[in-house]
Amino acid sequence: MSKRIATQGRLIDRSRALTFTFNGRDMRGHPGDTLASALLANDQMLVGRSFKYHRPRGIVASGAEEPNALVNLGTGPSFEPNQRATTTELFDRLKARSQNHWPSLEFDIGAINARLSRLLPAGFYYKTFLRPRAFWKHVYEPIIRQSAGLGQAPKDRDCDTYEYFYATTDIVVVGGGIAGLLTARSAAQSGAQVLVLEQTAHLGGRTPVDGGTVDGQPASAFIDALLEELRAMANVTMRSRCMGAGIYDHGFVLGYERLTDHDPDAAGPRHRLWRIRAKQVITATGAIERPLAFAGNDLPGVMLASAMRDYLINYGVMVGQRVIVATNNDDAYRTAIALKEAGADVLRILDARDSGGGPLMQKARELGIRIDCGRAIGKVRGGKRVKKVKICAQNSSGGALEEVSCDAVAMSGGWSPVVHLWSHCGGKLLWDDGAAHFRPDPARPPTGADGNGFVSTAGAAHGDFALGDIVAQAHEAGRKAAQAIGMKPKKHDAPIAAETREARLLPVWLMPAGANIGLRSKAWLDYQNDVKVSDVELAAREGYESVEHTKRYTTLGMATDQGKLSNINGLATLANSLGTPIPSVGTTTFRPPYTPISMGAIAGEARDAIFQPLRCTPIHHWHEAHDAAWEPVGHWRRPYTYPRADEAHADAVAREIKNVRQAVGLLDASTLGKLIVKGPDAGKFLDMLYTNMMSTLQPGRCRYGLMCNENGFLIDDGVVARLDEQSFLCHTTSGGADQIHAHMEEWLQTEWWDWQVYVANATEQFAQIAVVGPKARKLLEKLGGMDLSAETLPLMAWAEGEIAGIRARVFRISFSGELSFEIAVPASQGLALWTALIEAGREFGVMPYGTEALHVMRAEKGFIMIGDETDGTVIPQDLGLDWAISKKKEDYLGKRAQQRTHMASPDRWKLVGLETTDGTVLPEGAYAVGEGLNANGQRVTQGRVTSTYYSPTLERGIAMGLVLHGPERMGEVLEFPGTDGQVYHAKIVDPVFYDKEGTKQNV
Amino acid sequence: MLILTCPYCGIEADETELASGGEAHLTRHGPGTSEDDFSNYLFTRQNPLGVHFERWRHAHGCGKWFHAARDTGTLEVFATYPAQTAEPPKTVCDAIRKRRPGWTWQGTA
Amino acid sequence: MSEPVSALNHAGFDGLAKVTECGLHGMITLRGDLAARAVKAAATGASGVKMPGPNEVQSKGDNALCWMSPDELLVICDYKDVRQVLDKMHKSLGAAHALAVDMSDARTMFCVTGSSARDVMAKLTPADLSPATFGPGQIRRSRLAQIPAAFWLEDDQSFRIICFRSVAQYAFDLLCTAAGAGSDVGYFSAAPIRPT
Amino acid sequence: MKRYSAFSIAREALRNHAGWTRAWAAPEPRRRYDVVIVGAGGHGLATAYYLGKNFGITNVAILEKGWLGGGNTGRNTTIIRSNYLQDASAAIYEKARSLYETLSQELNYNVMFSPRGVIMLAQTESEVRGYKRTAHANALQGVETEFISPEQVKELVPIINISGPRYPVLGGLWQARAGTARHDAVAWGYARACSAMGMEIIQQCEVTGIRQKDGKVAGVDTTKGPIDCDKLGLVVAGHSGVLAEMAGFRLPLESVALQALVSEPIKPCMDVVVMANTVHGYMSQSDKGEMVIGGGADGFNNYTQRGSFHHIEETVRALVETFPIISRLKMLRQWGGIVDMTGDRSAILSKTPLEGCFINCGWGTGGFKAIPGSGWGMAELMAKGHSPLTESFSLDRFREGRFVDESVAAGVAH
């Protein structure tokens, strides 16, 4: 059984106990434990079920590579699925539940799949569930979806917050093991600013577990001293619980800092996403031990040798009392020795190598451990935990020589450098035949903005495994990185580590080498996704030969561990089945993140109130206080209407319109774009930007203008006021202000850079209020300050002066057809003017009105609206706006485009008014049908509705639309099929429905 | 995540401070030009796998448009330079040739 | 005549750093050839402040000149003086091709002060804030999360930030969130982290 | 070709699946074919398949410089829908969608087409107008869609937040028979069927030149030697520009990186596909349980298949706001693909200036869903010289100013 022992446990604090529950069962652990070590200390060998066959699974690893021990963690708003027990620090009252089983972990109906596994080989679902057709969606797929999917879906809104942090530094070192720390030191000694990212809570890595001596002291003592030294260096920052998640182009490094996962009650953000820019990156990400592929290698109790050693030394947990060790290299002997010295009974070391290992083997033998060379595990027996091991010769098909009962198996298939981060941004790998692994090819690093390599590697991640090589290479790596960014490293001696010579490893991709199909179909490569040796062989046989095909066909390496344990074994198995060397098979692409990172962290601070900027006019809060119903316009929010008590929106809109037409209304028009264009060439410039002539506009006057893009399409419209000889004020649509400003700058800077024009965006300098209606002038005269008589300020003129004691510009422009003044005052006095108007307006029955009333009134007048009548495919000519297109100008933006055959075609749909024959309102976006079907069997259309409203003024539905040859077909009735099943009939009419002569606005 | 140095204010701008503006050094074609010339001006692009000249605006910054010479296959940036020019300056072409021997501007050395 | 009101009317927050909206300031955008004598004279004359170099701020009392782009300065003065300053500038500009326009109401100014000020700002802007690159007297135009902003250091612990008036509330909420309790980063503020 | 069925699996199980043979042959190229298709992605394979099936042209080689289905076919978010606004788009996407309905049976390969339904959220007034317009257009195009209420949206997607502070859901355009399919399987299924018709799929074979004879296409040079043909189809997505160069013409294309990501798998919590264009995010849940999320495209030319991380942030930010429960899920993997964007963001299926040479490209972000329709139309175009499905997508539209613009309905072509 697995239990906590009295000795060892360098990372735990035995003086304090923590309580936690697993599947409701109370358990105890210590501060410093991971959930995994605590579960093992409580003899919880069975921790989950596999994805496909629902096989019983236990903890295999001790770190980020763990494929099995995933749990549902926490409850309610802090619930999180698929948490890796090996990287979850234990905290008091932690609640964990195992995943992917029903009804219970011990008894799981899904396990029937394991019995049927022969019927469910790789890719079986591509070959079946074909008939009957409807069954896929309604029967087969729901079953597959239910049985897949691991953790539960969260139910509540996340109670935590997240944030970003931007850092710019010389060198980022990913990994706080001995290699990372030494690299950081030599880089810092060279004068570089260094940031070290360590994913675990502990700097120092696994060297203290593996032992050895550096500069004459025990490795762990050396590391403690090194950490002290680094902490004292002002140009070194070390962050623990902060994983280097990804490396991106131009030195961008993504860091994932877990601030409160280990202490959920602490204040502050849960995760912090580091967005780092570094000149050089050094990945010192270590290496991951590989499992051995033998039958039953997925049973609870079968564990990586290094993990078993970690649990013993770091946490004082002895995973088995009677242990068998299977290996193809010397490192596993360290585990055997540690276990033996801690009092475990190490029954056998099965060394696949005929000649066995080096000095470590000697030491094990001296401790009295029996070592069988050239031996292998034929099969592991047991149900929910290891019971027996059948031992056979490595060079056999699996015939058992003996059977030994035991309670744990430690396996080691050799080590693979963690090359993920090196590869994220294009770093290439080379195959090391001796060590049987892929390692970074220093000659082909990821390249940065200057075209030179910006990532290097140190330590085990570099492919060095002997402590002596690691410390020497790491020291040098730091100096080199500093040199690469122009530092002049001073001479510092590299540390010297005592060597423990290790014998050469023997590549073992299958155990035993000649394992029969029965064994191969029980030898797991990818634990979580249930991919076995036989599956990869099948994929190869069926022609899924590229490693990408095999991966996708078998799902090898696609689980939440992204193949950290399975990739190399899988590649080797594929290479063997294809009879090609491993390098020619290649690897699949490594993609960020190194381990999964929370969506919350990626979203950062942007949620709720600060999800996106909300733009407020100076009068915003008044609208809010008066129950405005909002309409988002870009990032602005404009009052749609101001419903009273229990007034429906439509009624409110009708009331506002009637009031404007009969008395006076106020519109907050502050969001309108206001661009100041000034210079000797300003007129010439605006003549190019607008379709009509602006240079001839007189100071003091206003003119309505249209803007097109180079593709000829209408992009914006608005009133231009000439302020003086050299300056114009261009009004744009609310949504358009920033784009049009950028549009102007673009043309001035990149095409007409010799023209003398400056542009400034004064949109937010002014609050703009439209005072509209027959009583508008009376109201303003009451406030007093300037002469607004028709004589001094006629339609389409503007004047400067004071209103209610506030400096103001007044524009006589109307978008409603009524007498209308648009008053611009400094933003900081906008609210003052607004309230003054409301107060003074009482006697005239003043009311605020919103965007919908605005839209309806402009439609009654037949004025077009950008975004309604236009959609990015409409040219001014389509809208009968030829009067606003200068014939005199030989050029303006869009003119050439409008001469293209399709744009000049007489068959373009043109703007008309539409009146339903029965007065009802046409449906939004309805199409007018023509005769028959087109070549693709679709109904022929001959027009569409662009805007449609109920007009309270005319008390009937009115609409505008684009219709084939429309203007020549006045009076004709068109059919508009609705999506409600009805067909609407509408007559083509003039688009101006109200006050055709325009007398009302001109008083 | 590109970094480009704005030639106007000298800031090493983060991609999120920049707005991209497509291929650089296009010649505007207005009224009187042929259908082909005009549609090439609007739509046809070099889109090379390799050296590419493009327009960027230091939008969250000094607001200036500038040009960048960049490799679309490696994202290497050869140079950035002011936008007020019809073709890449010699210094830029030299910088590119230093990294990509034999490269020529629109096929002419 | 009503009292002009700034967007957030001097709202404040105390956290890792002190965040305050600093009320209305006179702000004039001056666009022109910054090498031209008339333009220089207009800027320095009206403000009494030295001409700033690229990415620099020059200040004297409440007045300041901010370099915004190769052809743009921001002239900062007392809010009530804007009109005189503007008139003065127009006079000294004379016929020179330039644009001087009052933007005082279009913008909002914030102060972020305290030993963690850099850490707080570094949660929101991609600009390099390391003391080596960014110190007092320098100005940076960049973004705060999703909005454009310009900021400079008055001294090593106090930022001045300018953004558009319409997003003042968003900017304030951002800064308060970034300065929220328990979110200290200790990257710029603290010396190297001590053992825990 | 061995027929796939539950029975064949059971039979094979008895002999440990030793009897399964290659899904497609791996021949060396011959010197000449009637038709050569460059690009063994979904579109290229489908084109070949329908050339054989609809026109009896089977002397066809499909050349692939990498591995079949290794490009965007295997990198997309597998959404299939046809609720497009413009007639031309609706026609080809609906043709594709309807072919997907029966593709598994037709190919005897389960492509797992799952008509789970797609909702496009309307979160602004202009989106409401845009989608109502699309619904009207679809009704006349024979595409079954409807504009549904926020309550109906909530009913279909219980995890959605319809009363978000910034962009409350005002409704949605719902297409019940839209959905997803298993992307790799589409390529593999077509490949197996092409191979069974005697067509030859040549992988690891890169085209290095296009040979012409008196103004007509004569064949291609490849890394496996020269190959002659009467007709040539270029169907290589992101690399179309490079091949067009070889054929002596240029295209209105720009290649950019488009990104996507998946979460760790969780138990089923969302049965339909949701697209939220105002906040630029879309999401579905795969049969494995992963939340499959589509990200934005870079604004700059890029052939690296690596996008910029801030697009991932923007997308995830929007989706966390729309689906609050995903905040505590984790991103498992992000990736990028190279997509080719045209001037109007719609595809090009067209003859080219070089007689006998046809091109199919410019699918931008919307290629996967179109595969069967694109192959169907392209095959007709290559066999007969014209096809109603492809007519509006010809190259000359850019000269005439006759665009197929889908962005107008606030819709994006994901």
Side-chain angles (χ1 to χ4, degrees), chain C residues 6 23-25 32-34 55 57 67 69 72 90 99 101 112 125 129 133 139 145 153 164 166-168 196:
Chain C
S6 66
L24 287 165
H25 288 70
D33 172 2
L34 300 190
N55 306 308
V57 177
W67 189 94
S69 94
E72 180 177 346
H90 280 133
L99 169 63
V101 49
V112 175
T125 177
L129 298 184
T133 346
I139 185 169
L153 280 163
F164 283 111
S166 67
V167 290
T196 43

Side-chain angles (χ1 to χ4, degrees), chain A residues 118 130 160 248 275 541, chain D residues 17 105 109 313 328 334:
Chain A
R118 274 184 152 213
L130 288 162
D160 282 302
Y248 301 77
R275 310 169 91 271
R541 193 178 320 132
Chain D
H17 302 281
Q105 292 69 31
Y109 199 100
E313 289 171 348
R328 292 183 91 93
Q334 65 169 102

Side-chain angles (χ1 to χ4, degrees), chain A residues 163-169 193 195 228 230-234 236-239 267-269 272 274-275 605-606 609-616 618 621 635-636 676 678-680 726 745 756-762 764-765 804-807 826-829 832, chain C residues 1-6 24 29 31-33 71 79 83 90 96-106 118-119 122-130 143 145-147 164-167 169-170 173-174 177-178 181-188 192-195:
Chain A
E163 69 181 20
Y164 293 160
F165 189 77
Y166 296 84
T168 308
T169 187
Q193 187 75 37
L195 174 57
E228 266 317 298
L230 289 167
R231 289 188 175 110
M233 299 176 92
V236 175
T237 308
M238 295 183 286
R239 309 293 297 201
R272 177 180 294 134
W274 286 66
R275 310 169 91 271
E605 83 292 331
I610 50 174
F611 165 59
Q612 272 184 358
L614 174 61
R615 299 178 72 183
C616 305
H621 298 292
H635 282 174
W636 293 103
I676 294 171
K678 182 181 180 215
Q726 286 205 355
E745 282 293 342
Q756 292 202 310
V757 181
Y758 287 119
V759 180
N761 184 351
E764 298 196 16
Q765 171 65 16
I806 304 171
R807 190 156 45 91
S828 57
Q829 284 161 293
Chain C
M1 170 80 201
S2 65
E3 259 317 295
V5 201
S6 66
L24 287 165
T29 289
R31 293 201 61 184
D33 172 2
D71 61 5
Y79 184 77
R83 303 209 64 186
H90 280 133
H97 170 46
L99 169 63
V101 49
D102 179 5
M103 291 288 187
S104 315
D105 293 72
R118 275 184 205 266
D119 283 339
K123 294 179 184 184
L124 303 174
T125 177
D128 179 3
L129 298 184
S130 30
R143 59 178 179 91
Q146 300 172 56
I147 54 169
F164 283 111
R165 178 184 178 119
S166 67
V167 290
Q169 189 63 52
Y170 170 81
D173 294 344
L174 270 182
T177 307
S183 71
D184 201 0
V185 184
Y187 184 74
F188 292 116
I193 301 153
R194 295 275 142 222

